[in-house]
Structures are given as structure tokens and as C-alpha cells.
Amino acid sequence: MFFQRNAPRGNSGAFRFLFLLLILCGGCAFEQPAELRIINGKEPETLDPATATGQPDGRVIQSMFEGLTRYNATNAAPEPGLAMRWEISPDGKTYTFHLRTNALWSTGEPITSRDIEYSWMRVLDPRTASDYVGNLFYIQGAEDFHLGKGKREDVGIKVVGDHLFQVELINPTPFFLDLCAFPTQAAVHRATIEKHGERWLKARPLPVSGPYDLVSWRLNDRIRLKKNPNYWDAENTAIKTVDLFPVNSQNTALNLFANGGVDVVWDKDVVPTELIDVLSQRKDFHRFNYLGTYFLRFNVTRKPFDDVRVRKALALAVDHEHIQRVMLGSITATNIYVPPLANYTSAEGLKRDPELARQLLKEAGFENGKGFPRVEYLSNTSRDHEKIAVQLQAMWQQELGIRIELRAVEWKVYLNSQSKKDYDISRSAWVGDYADPNTFLDLFMANNPNNRTGWKSERYDGLMRTANATVDKDERAKLLQQAEAMLIREELPIVPIYIYVGFNFFDPDVIKGIHNQENIRDEHPIRAIRKLAAKID
């Protein structure tokens, strides 16, 4: 089997692999294997819907907690969730949601409009420190309340009845129903949170609003979920038990899959780029278009990156074509930030121009790199991220005469460093939360916690607010293009590197319900997955 080319070498490596394989296959007598076993990538940072930011976190959270809408399994479009239906006012600003009368917490209590109100207001509470709080800023008075400038009664969130919930928006927001399906807006249990505080996720039983209960979360081992019989759509939830494993090693992931230790490999970072051509010949390897961008962030609060000439110089020295060759076709290197979307043409960023880069660096006072301070490039530990880091380091050394030190850290440390702006340059990525340019561009508004660069621009914020208040689609697109141009051509708090290509592993004869080609957001609800008996050749 070709997977063995990357198997751990030596007796100790083989022993570790076999030991992990025994665990994942249920070789331990104390626990039966789960019906569905998934390699989920990195260890989640949290399972709190209000504060989670990573994709591994989100996959688990969406199985445990649900919002007014949920993601359709085929194309990730929003469909009725806890709300069975809704009406939208003629001006597009008022949404009235009718909650299901059979929507229950896993403990059997009814889920009501007050649960939605509490969950959304908890996100808006600045003490929660939600990075995704900006998702609610489209609601009347929400941003002012979060910033301490407004009152609760001015927030356009209203409980009309036990099963009737109303939202007043500032402007028509075509992607608002998508936001209602996002984990941040999911219903969480007030009494549990108020009783246990920050440790509420350790409560047992843990009341959940989604299709799966949390059985256990053992760090560096697995998260186990079991079917929630009180979920309103439990009848259509086929898989009874699920294990999600945090595996970062490409060798381990592919060997486990090849040997039947897991059913699905979801995380693209554990697919080795050097084997893409060989993997592409297999029916259990799936490649698809993906709504995600890989880019660099500059911390503009630190010198010398407070100088736009320095940021432009580093951007102009990037050779995108070389990165494309190094990554062996596993990416689409580009200087645009917003991936291709219908009815939107992305603005182009800076193209490679080493001569202009050197001139700008000279104007900034660092001719040929002399006097340039010691700075670090932050990334999380991953073979591909480290490969990209080495290439950028070499480009900047060769073209500009500057030395960048590389700092690769574990996932949780990486996220924390970005959030605290404890970095100089950071590798970054963003996966679209809905099919609209706004999901990429509103990140860099001044009050969005996901900004993480320290960059603020009244002009940029004005373009974004005007665009999202503009009904005419063509005029809106032009305004968004201007905002994107500011990000990647004029001000450069970020530098686009490539557009992701999606990858995953599963046997299509055994696993049903994962729809890659129609689903550019790579959102595959576990509730919709079916597992058939494996065929014997």
C-alpha cells in the first residue's frame, strides 16, 4: 500500500502507530468503537459556541448546538433549524421567526425564544470576548451595546412570545439567515452557564440544542458524541455514536485511514501535498473547490510594520508562482483575497516586483535590509505551513536582504498569539461563512475582533457600511471591490498568498451524505451522514 511510504520509521515509531491504531479501532476493552470515526485535525480550542473560532471547533459545536437555521447538508445553504419558518418584512429589515414547539433541550426542557435572546445577548456582552460578535452588528443597536455606547432596550432583538422571536436589522442583509446558522448564534443553556460559569461545558448532563450529546472530551485523545433522542429531527439522524480525533500528523492520518482505523479524514492539513498526484487516482480521495483563503497578517502596531512602505515591500517580494510549484498543485496561488464568487470580481493585489520592493524598503530607511529589526513569522505546526514559511523567509532574504525568524507553535498557542497580537507577521486563513464577499471583508473593520492586525481605517469602515446598505447589487459590488483594494493594494494589513483547494478522505461506497462538489464551504453536518456496510472485494 502506497501509504506505507510515509509510515513512521523504526521500532518505536511503529509501536506508537500500532498503539494508536488499536485505540481508534476499539482495541481497548473498556470502550466500544464509535459507529463513525473522524480525523478532525487539530485539538479544538473550545466547544463554547460564543467564543470558538477554529474549524475543528465548529464541526463539533454544530453537532451539539443549533440556531434558528441550520446548514443544508448538500450545499450548506441555510434551512429551518430551531425555527420552523420565518417572515421577512417588505423592506428586508424585520425577521419574525416561529420556533418549533417540539424543539427541546437534550434534558427534555422546551427551547423558547428567551433561550435565543439569552444566547445572542451573551455573545454581545463584551465580557464574553466573542471574536465573532461582529455577526450580530447587522442588528439595530447591537454594535453600540457591545461597545458600551447603547442600552439593551435599543438592541433589535425581541421576544414576542415563547415561540416567536423578532429581529430588527439596520439594513437589508441578504446573508442574515446564513448568520443564524453559524455556531456563534446557536442556542446555549442559560441555567447551566449561570450555575457553572466558565466551566459550564463540564456539566453532566450537558443540555444541548443540537443532534448530538457530548459524552466526553479527552484532550489529545478524542471527543465522543452520541445521538440526542430529544432533538427535533432525531428521526433523521442516522449515526448513533461519533468519535472525533485530533490528529496533526499526515503520516498517522493516512495510515489510520488506510488500515481502517477511521472512516473520514476531514482536515486538509493532514493531506501530504507531495502525494497529491497519486492520491488523486483513488476513489476515496476527494478534491473540490473551497471557499477559503491563505494570507499573511501584519501587526501594524509594531515597528517596522506600522510603515505601509515596509508592508508593501514584503508583499512585492512574494513569488506566487514559485509557491504554486512548491505546493505541487495542491493550492491556487493568487494575489486576490476574496475567492471567486458569483456576481463579484475580486480586486487584484500587488504583483511581484522586487525592484520596487527594494526601493520602498530604502525609502523606509532599510536600504538592502540594513538596520531592519529582528522580527518573527508566526505559524502553527504543520508541514505545509512550515514549508510556506521557509519559502517566504528565503524570498525576503534574497530580494530584500532581511532575515525573518520562524516561530511554529501549537494550534491553541497560535490562536492566542494572534488574538493578543503577540506576533510580527502571521500566517492566516479564512474560510467563508457564507457565499458573499462580506464574509471575508468585514473581518478588517475596526471593531471586528477577528481583525487581529491593529489596522483601522474610517474610510474602509465607511465603504463596508455603505456597501451593506446598498440594495443595487452592481453598486454594492463596486464598493466592496474598493474596500478589498484598500486591504491588498493600498494599505496592506494583509497579503494574499493562495486560495485553498479542499481535500478529504472517505469511501463513497460506505459513507453517504458528504457532498463535496456542491458544497464549497466544506460544511458536512454529521446528522446527515449515513454509513453503509463495507463491501468485501
Side-chain angles (χ1 to χ4, degrees), residues 366-510:
F366 304 107
E367 184 174 6
N368 297 321
K370 292 180 180 179
F372 199 86
R374 176 182 176 273
V375 297
E376 289 184 336
Y377 177 95
L378 174 71
S379 70
N380 56 295
T381 50
S382 160
R383 182 185 298 178
D384 285 347
H385 297 329
E386 292 168 9
K387 188 185 299 184
I388 293 290
V390 168
Q391 297 304 316
L392 292 170
Q393 182 187 51
M395 291 174 194
W396 292 329
Q397 172 74 42
Q398 178 180 331
E399 301 294 356
L400 303 176
I402 63 176
R403 175 71 179 175
I404 306 291
E405 297 187 16
L406 306 183
R407 178 187 169 211
V409 297
E410 293 301 317
W411 177 244
K412 290 184 180 181
V413 177
Y414 161 78
L415 290 177
N416 189 53
S417 296
Q418 268 205 352
S419 293
K420 292 183 175 180
K421 292 191 281 293
D422 181 22
Y423 73 91
D424 299 310
I425 309 170
S426 174
R427 91 91 192 162
S428 297
W430 193 257
V431 178
D433 300 323
Y434 43 90
D436 187 280
N438 187 78
T439 188
F440 290 90
L441 297 174
D442 80 342
L443 262 66
F444 296 99
M445 294 180 71
N447 291 326
N448 193 320
N450 277 313
N451 185 320
R452 301 177 184 173
T453 64
W455 179 75
K456 299 179 180 180
S457 167
E458 290 184 8
R459 180 186 164 216
Y460 184 86
D461 288 4
L463 283 169
M464 292 301 300
R465 294 183 194 283
T466 303
N468 287 324
T470 301
V471 177
D472 185 274
K473 293 182 180 179
D474 292 337
E475 184 59 31
R476 179 175 182 266
K478 290 178 182 177
L479 292 165
L480 293 173
Q481 286 166 352
Q482 292 178 44
E484 186 178 8
M486 283 190 69
L487 278 182
I488 61 176
R489 198 163 62 229
E490 300 170 20
E491 295 289 330
L492 278 90
I494 65 170
V495 179
I497 301 296
Y498 60 76
I499 302 297
Y500 277 108
V501 175
F503 305 112
N504 55 34
F505 275 96
F506 63 90
D507 184 342
D509 292 332
V510 176

Side-chain angles (χ1 to χ4, degrees), residues 12 228-229 286 324 348 417:
S12 62
N228 170 16
H286 309 274
Q324 179 82 27
E348 286 200 23
S417 296

Side-chain angles (χ1 to χ4, degrees), residues 184-231:
T184 309
Q185 278 93 297
V188 293
H189 195 260
R190 179 173 189 166
T192 301
I193 295 172
E194 291 181 343
K195 179 179 179 180
H196 297 280
E198 293 183 357
R199 298 175 61 84
W200 69 276
L201 287 163
K202 295 183 180 296
R204 296 293 181 274
L206 175 67
V208 298
S209 53
Y212 287 91
D213 286 312
L214 176 65
V215 176
S216 61
W217 179 9
R218 298 202 293 265
L219 292 176
N220 301 314
D221 178 13
R222 76 191 72 185
I223 291 172
R224 171 155 290 194
L225 305 176
K226 69 174 181 180
K227 180 177 176 179
N228 170 16
N230 284 323
Y231 179 55

